[in-house]
Amino acid sequence: MTQAPAAQPPSRRRHDREIIALAVPAFGALVAEPLFVMVDSAIVGHLGTPQLAGLAVAAALLTTAVSVFVFLAYATTAAVARQVGAGDLASAIRQGMDGIWLALLIGAAVVAVTLPLAPWLIGIFGTSDTASPYATTYLRISSLGIPAMLVVLAATGVLRGLQDTRTPLYVAIGGFAANGVLNVGLVYGAGLGIAGSAWGTVIAQMGMALAYLIVVVRGARRHGASLRPDASGIRASAQAGVPLLVRTLSLRAVLMIATAVAARLGDTDIAAHQIILSLWSLTAFALDAIAIAGQAIIGRYLGADDPQGAREACRRMVQWGIVSGVVLGVIIVLARPLFVPLFTADTSVQDTLLPALLVVALSQPVSGVVFVLDGVLMGAGDGRYLAWAMVVTLTVFAPVALLVPSFGGGLTALWAAMTLMMTIRLVTLWLRMRSGRWIVTGATR
């Protein structure tokens, strides 16, 4: 007698629902954040070229300053999710508060360094004499919002750990809208110029931080968690963040080396590289949304002493990563005649861009798995391994990329080196996942 095909396992459906519920709002929040800079650029661009050039330099410094400390979100997500899995919401929020206090301390230190050194930092970029004053003004004012942005990172980690990615989406949308209104009003209505754009962004960032703090404080009061700074807790948060900081710095070094090599290839290549890098970053947001879901889900399973649930969730998310990568790769190939002309009408740039873009499209499934496994290991609190793996990747990638111009390789060869970088990451992360050493259960790792 022929048996009917087995129904889809309930656990798979459950994992799919959780991944979708967490990843979709997370993607919205991730995409909303870079729109801040886009709005500022659009508004300041109408003031003049020197103002826009100044904004570009200052925004690059500010983006780097904030992105370096993204571990405030990652480490906090993992720690809070473990406590949630263990059923201790008071301790979950308490650990989240430690991350928020750490964010305030780091933010204050960054502001203390940035304010007096702003002209020197702007000068490092070789900024023109006409753009430097605008860049310095924007950097000094906008640096006042860095503590707020770091609080946003940490508080976002708290809510993700609590399995809530909707609130960060709503706050991001509100912040984006407020930023646009304030920029228009202060730049043109109040006549403050580029300073108005900076103040508008700072006010919006502070509003976002305040919104997060209200949510977290309400949760703390509901569950009886202390809001006072705890030295040991802050120190533990910092220690958990150090390996992730090493990982992030290594990844930033990879991107900087790639850009430097592209610049040595010539103006056409660097222009094409910038377009591809922008597209690559956009696809990274989509894949990172699944990774964020992984951080929250894996941390919760491990905190609940459920290693089997963690393994099943990991396998399912890897499948999601592969499928998402294939879909993104196909979209890149099919849509390239539509979006490439939007970036440039220069046929030489287009000709240089297209073969390299094909390499990026083919590498998307690899990227999908890498992002997912990155999120899984972050959720498991396996930061030391992630740091080691990224340093190894950087060590292999750097000489290969730097040799591209020497061997007459062009932009396509450079992006082949970037694909090699992602492949090395895949191998190191896959080996760790297969070993099972990342599976450490309990409320704390």
Side-chain angles (χ1 to χ4, degrees), residues 376-426:
V376 166
L377 296 185
M378 283 184 189
D382 204 8
R384 289 187 179 181
Y385 184 85
L386 288 171
W388 173 85
M390 198 62 231
V391 169
V392 169
T393 301
L394 173 62
T395 303
V396 176
F397 168 78
V400 173
L402 292 172
L403 286 172
V404 167
S406 301
F407 284 92
L411 190 66
T412 302
L414 175 60
W415 276 95
M418 288 288 285
T419 301
L420 171 65
M421 179 271 295
M422 293 301 290
T423 303
I424 296 169
R425 292 186 69 190
L426 173 62

Side-chain angles (χ1 to χ4, degrees), residues 14-104:
R14 184 179 70 249
H15 291 319
D16 288 346
R17 287 196 298 269
E18 286 184 332
I19 293 169
I20 292 172
L22 291 171
V24 172
F27 174 69
L30 288 169
V31 172
E33 291 173 6
L35 291 178
F36 270 81
V37 177
M38 290 180 63
V39 169
D40 288 4
S41 299
I43 293 173
V44 171
H46 291 285
L47 295 174
T49 300
Q51 290 90 332
L52 184 58
L55 171 65
V57 174
L61 285 166
L62 290 164
T63 300
T64 300
V66 174
S67 63
V68 161
F69 299 111
V70 73
F71 71 83
L72 289 166
Y74 294 157
T76 303
T77 297
V80 171
R82 277 184 176 269
Q83 295 291 349
V84 169
D88 190 349
L89 290 178
S91 294
I93 296 176
R94 172 65 265 176
Q95 289 208 321
M97 284 304 304
D98 292 335
I100 290 173
W101 281 112
L102 177 62
L104 285 170

Side-chain angles (χ1 to χ4, degrees), residues 286-322:
L287 299 173
D288 202 28
I290 304 174
I292 288 170
Q295 293 172 31
I297 293 170
I298 295 298
R300 192 190 71 231
Y301 274 117
L302 295 178
D305 292 319
D306 186 358
Q308 183 59 32
R311 289 190 185 93
E312 290 178 359
C314 176
R315 282 195 295 269
R316 190 57 180 158
M317 281 183 284
V318 167
Q319 293 170 357
W320 270 77
I322 294 172

Side-chain angles (χ1 to χ4, degrees), residues 12-13 88 107 118 121 127 147 165-166 182 289 348 379 386 398 407 423 429 436 442:
R12 176 175 293 188
R13 291 198 298 269
D88 190 349
L121 292 170
T127 313
T165 56
R166 289 183 178 273
L182 287 167
S348 62
L386 288 171
F407 284 92
T423 303
L429 297 177

Side-chain angles (χ1 to χ4, degrees), residues 212-249:
Y212 274 116
L213 289 175
I214 290 173
V215 173
V216 174
V217 168
R218 285 178 177 174
R221 289 176 175 172
R222 188 182 312 118
H223 298 288
S226 174
L227 297 173
R228 295 179 179 179
D230 176 68
S232 61
I234 295 173
R235 186 165 52 251
S237 295
Q239 290 172 346
V242 168
L244 295 179
L245 176 61
V246 172
R247 168 201 167 274
T248 300
L249 289 173

